[in-house]
Amino acid sequence: MRRFADWFLVCCLAIAAASCAALNLDDPSFDKKPGVTPVEPDGGASNPGAGPSDALPTIRITAPQSGAAIATDILRIEGEAGDDRSLASVLVKVGPNVPLLARTSDGFRHWWVESTVPQGMFLIEANARDGNGQTSDPDRVTVLGSSGSGSDDASPNVTIASPADGSAPLQAQVLVRGTANDDRAVVSMEVLRDGELLQERAIETDNFFASWSRLVPLIPGVKNELTFVARDDAGHEGRATITLFGRAEIDRAPPALTITSPADLTTLNSAELTVTGTAFDLVGLREVKLRIGRTPAGSTTRVWSEYEAVATTDGFATWAKTVTIPIGAFSLEARAIDLNGLGTSVLLELSNAFIPEWTDEVSIPLRLNDGAPVPTIRFELDEKGVNEVIAEDIQRDTVVLELQTTALLNNAVNQIKDSCGTRWRENNANPRHDCSLTELGRSYGSNWQSSPEYSFVRLLTMTPKNSVVDGTSVQNLKSVANNLRVGGGFSEILGHTFGIPVTQEIVSTPGAVKALQDFWMASHPEVLPNAKLPITLYDAMQDFASLKERFGPKGGHPGLLDPSFTPNSVVFGPDFQLELEATSNLRWMDGVDLSGKQPGQPARAAKDYIALVVDTAGPTFDDVLEFDFTSPAKFDVVGLTERPTVDLRMSMFENNTFVRSCVLANDTCKNNLPNAPAPGYLWANPSWQVESIVGAAAYYDYRNRNNYSRTYNLLFIPSATVTVGNGSDRAGWSTYWTLLNIGSPPPDQYLWELILEVGQVALHRFGDTTLPEGNANVRFTLYDVDVGLSADDIRAAMRPTLQAQRHTLSDRLLGDYEKNNGAVDFFYRRGADNKPYLFFVAESDPRPISAYNYDQPGFFADAELTTKLSDTAPGASGDRVHEKLSLSKGETIVYVRDDVAAVYRLRFVVGDDAQEIRVFASQQVR
C-alpha cells in the first residue's frame, strides 16, 4: 500500500493548494466552520485569481490507443494536457485502482505514468486540474490485458485482515483492510453494512484488489455486520463478513451540507449533470444522497426518483455525483445523514433545455465460445424414467420395431387349427373335432358346434379325406366316384387334383399366413408394407395394450384386432433399461438484443444468447441431437423378455352374400386374377373379407399347379378325366370330364374358385348347423402366441428402425429449442474460415419470435443507413444467408436498425485475437 500512501499525500497537497487559491478568506460570507466551502453563485467571478476567461483544463491520452492489447506487465500511459492559465495536477485511474499522480517535466503539457496491468478488458481514465481547482472532462481509453491462465470458473476469495472480528473500534469510522484473489482476476468490490450497499466512497486498491482498504462509518451503539463482496469478470462472487460494534455517542447536531454546483434556478443544457458539494458532521457521516423530483403536468404533487448515493474520497468533505436529468423543470434534493440518523437537506429548483441525440452507451462483452467440449447427453432410463423424459406424443410417434408377422401368424393359425383337437389329421372322413380339449376351443362356448369360430376351424382343417361338399358343384361327382369306386373314391381324386395327400389340409398354413398378410393385414391403414406391424415405443411401454386402438376398426377396415379385448405382451422385463447417448449439435453464440428489457428496467440493449445447429457429422447436417443407434456403446436395451409372446383377439368378417365362383368357359374367368379382378367375382370384393382370405390362401397354394392330367377307368373304360394347367391352360385352371356326363361334373374353373365354393359351404353348413350368410364373423382370443423373435432379435431389429428415425427423434426431442433462445438482433461467431464475424440475424434463425420485421438488416457506416458495410456474400465464411461483417483490430463504429425501427450506434473494441470483444451500444433519440 506504499503507492497508495504516496498518492494520498500528493493529493492532499494538491487539494490544499487549489483550495487556498480558490478561497477569499477576507470574504465576510465565508463560514469558518471546518469543512465548509462558501458558495459563489457567480461561478467564481469574485475570486481575484480567476477571471471570467478562466476555462476548464483539457486532457488527452495519447498512448495506448483504445482497443490496444497490452502484452507487458508494466504499462506506460502518456498524454497531453492544457489550460489557459496553469495546471496543478493530472490524475490517472487504471481499472479499479486509486488514481496515480502523473509525472511531467513541462507543467503537465506532456505527462506520463506507469502502472501494472490487470487481466481482461479495462478502462484508463485521466483528469487534469488547474490552479483554480477546475477539473477537465475526463479522457478515457479501453484496452485489453492478458486473458490469464485461469478458466474463470472459480469464485474470488476474500479475506479481512483488520480490525478483529467482534471488536468495538473507538472511532466512528473504521478502516478495514484485506485481500482478494481469483483464478483469473477480481474486477470489482463493494461493501454492505447490515445488507445495505454503501456507496459514499469506493474500496481503495493500487494492485487490483490483491490488497484493499475501506473507511466504513459505523452506526453507533449497535452491532454492524460488514460484508465485503468481490466479483470476477464472469460474475462469480466471493464474500467475507466481519462484525463490529459502533461506539455510542450523544449527537444533537445535524450535518452541514452545501451544494457547490449547480446554483439554484440554473437553466442547464445536457443529458447529465455532475452535482458537487461539501458535507461535515462532528460524529461522522453515514451517507449523502441525491434525488430528482418532477411535477407532472396537471398535477400539484411532486414525484421523486429513488435516492442515489454520491461518491467521495475524503469522507464527504467533498463529494460528487453525476445524474441523468429530465428535460424541462425539475427539483434536485441533496440529503446528508450522520451516523446517529440526523439529517440535513438542500433543495434546488432547476430546468433543462437539452434535446439528446443518443442515449448512454451500454457496454456488452461478446465472446467466441468455440473450443468448448461437445455436449453429450446420456440417458439410462428404466420404465418410469422413459415416461418422465420422453413425452407420450413422442413415444407414440417413435417406431422401435417393425414386427415381421410371418412367425406370429404361423403360430396363431396353428393354434386355431388345433383348437378342436388334432384327430382331423387322421385318414377318416369324420374329423372328430372336440373344441373342449383346449382353452382356445372352450372360448367358442359350450355350444361350440354352432359357433362361427368352429366353422372357420372346420374350413382350415378340411382335407381331401374329411371334406364336406354337399351343396356344392362337386357333390354329384363325389357320389359317383364313391359309389362306383372310380379312382379309389372321391378323396383320392381330390387329393390327386390338388397334388396333396388325402390327410393334408387343402388350405395350408403357409398359404393362410400369406393370405392374411397380403389381404387381411395389408388393407389396414396402420400396417406397413410387407405386412409389418409398426410397434412404437408407447406400445412397448404399454405392454401392447395400445395396439387395440391402432389396429382396431379404422379407415373402412373393420379391424385386425377386436377392440373389446386388450392385447398384452411383456416385452420389457422388470430390469428393463434404455441406454441412449447423443451428442448435441447446438452451439451457443453470444449476441445482443438491442431492445432487450430487464425486469423492472426500461428497454435497453442487453446481452443474450442464440443456439444454432452446427452439424458436421451428417447425414442430414441439421440434426439438433446426433444419435447412432447402430453403435452398442451409444444405444442398447437391457431387460428384454427372452421369448416374448402376445395375447390378442383377432377378428375377421365375411361378405353378407355368397360369393359366386367364376366358372365361365371364356376369357372372363381365365383372366380373373388378383391383379385383374373381374367385376362381381372373388377379387372384386374387399380384401379383408373372409372369402377373399380363403380364396387368396388357395391361390397361393395352387397358383403354380400345372401339367396335371389324369384319367380314371371303370371296367377298363375311360370314365373321368381331371386336368389342372394342362396344355394351353393357365396354371391352376382345372377341367372335369365324365363319360356321358355322369355325375354332372363341376364346370371348368381355377382350383381356388372351387375351394372358395367348398369353403363357403363349409363355413355355413356343418353337422346339423347352418349359419346364415354374413354371420360367420369370427373372433379368436389367442394367448401366449410366440411373436417369433428372441430378445437379441428384437434388439437387432430396433437398431436400423430407430436409426432411420434419428432425424425425426432429434427434431422432436429438442426441436423447440428456439423457445429458449434470446431475441437477438446480431451475434458473434466464427465462419468456415475460422475467422470471427458479426452475423445479423436472418429470417431462418431459430428465435422465440416468429415475425421477422427488419426492413434494413445489416451493418451500416452512417446513422441514415445509406452505406452498408455488411453483405450476404459467402466469401471465405461459408455463409450465404446472413448479413456479415468482419471487424478489424481496434475500434469500429457501425449503425443498425432493429425490428421496431429503432436506430443504434454500435462501437466495437477488438483486441489482438478477437476471442473477446466489447460492444458499446447507444440508441438514437427520436
Side-chain angles (χ1 to χ4, degrees), residues 377-381 389 578-582 625 627 813:
I377 302 173
R378 183 166 182 84
F379 302 104
E380 292 183 357
L381 306 173
V389 172
L578 176 67
E579 299 174 355
L580 180 61
E581 181 179 300
L625 293 175
F627 294 103
L813 287 173

Side-chain angles (χ1 to χ4, degrees), residues 609-863:
Y609 303 88
I610 184 171
L612 301 176
V613 175
V614 181
D615 185 356
T616 59
T620 58
F621 295 101
D622 59 357
D623 287 341
V624 180
L625 293 175
E626 203 68 59
F627 294 103
D628 185 1
F629 292 100
T630 64
S631 169
K634 295 184 177 181
F635 170 72
D636 201 6
V637 182
V638 298
L640 291 170
T641 302
E642 187 55 40
R643 294 292 303 185
T645 61
V646 62
D647 304 335
L648 50 83
R649 178 175 292 166
M650 299 168 53
S651 59
M652 287 176 280
F653 296 81
E654 70 159 350
N655 198 300
N656 289 328
T657 60
F658 188 89
V659 178
R660 58 198 178 107
S661 299
C662 194
V663 294
L664 300 175
N666 57 33
D667 289 342
T668 297
C669 289
K670 287 187 176 181
N671 293 330
N672 181 32
L673 294 169
N675 58 353
Y681 294 101
L682 170 63
W683 308 119
N685 291 305
S687 58
W688 46 261
Q689 290 183 348
V690 170
E691 292 82 355
S692 298
I693 298 169
V694 172
Y699 168 76
Y700 288 132
D701 279 341
Y702 303 109
R703 60 183 171 177
N704 296 319
R705 178 77 169 147
N706 62 359
N707 297 324
Y708 172 76
S709 177
R710 186 161 185 166
T711 299
Y712 300 94
N713 295 325
L714 179 62
L715 300 176
F716 304 106
I717 299 174
S719 302
T721 299
V722 179
T723 69
V724 180
N726 193 43
S728 62
D729 291 338
R730 288 183 174 178
W733 184 263
S734 62
T735 64
Y736 306 89
W737 172 84
T738 60
L739 181 64
L740 302 177
N741 206 31
I742 297 173
S744 301
D748 298 346
Q749 58 191 300
Y750 283 115
L751 286 180
W752 44 89
E753 301 277 1
L754 176 65
I755 293 172
L756 172 65
E757 179 193 14
V758 173
Q760 287 184 92
V761 171
L763 273 174
H764 295 85
R765 302 177 193 173
F766 44 94
D768 298 329
T769 300
T770 299
L771 290 177
E773 288 290 339
N775 282 14
N777 300 324
V778 296
R779 295 173 177 83
F780 291 103
T781 305
L782 308 173
Y783 293 92
D784 297 326
V785 181
D786 193 334
V787 299
L789 294 173
S790 67
D792 287 341
D793 293 335
I794 294 175
R795 189 178 293 107
M798 290 175 72
R799 294 188 185 280
T801 301
L802 289 170
Q803 185 73 359
Q805 301 170 87
R806 60 192 301 205
H807 175 69
T808 302
L809 273 172
S810 168
D811 186 61
R812 291 297 301 278
L813 287 173
L814 276 182
D816 59 351
Y817 65 92
E818 67 273 5
K819 295 178 181 178
N820 297 319
N821 280 352
V824 301
D825 298 282
F826 62 90
F827 53 92
Y828 191 50
R829 68 167 295 186
R830 292 193 189 275
D833 54 359
N834 205 38
K835 293 182 179 179
Y837 293 85
L838 289 173
F839 283 71
F840 200 94
V841 290
E843 190 168 5
S844 58
D845 286 329
R847 299 200 306 157
I849 51 179
S850 57
Y852 188 80
N853 295 323
Y854 298 94
D855 57 353
Q856 286 186 274
F859 303 94
F860 295 81
D862 57 300

Side-chain angles (χ1 to χ4, degrees), residues 442-461:
R442 289 190 291 273
S443 70
Y444 307 156
S446 57
N447 190 20
W448 53 265
Q449 295 90 341
S450 59
S451 67
E453 287 72 27
Y454 172 63
S455 72
F456 197 79
V457 172
R458 183 73 182 87
L459 186 153
L460 290 179
T461 58

Side-chain angles (χ1 to χ4, degrees), residues 271-286:
E272 294 182 331
L273 171 64
T274 298
V275 184
T276 62
T278 65
F280 173 77
D281 188 81
L282 292 172
V283 174
L285 286 164
R286 186 179 76 193

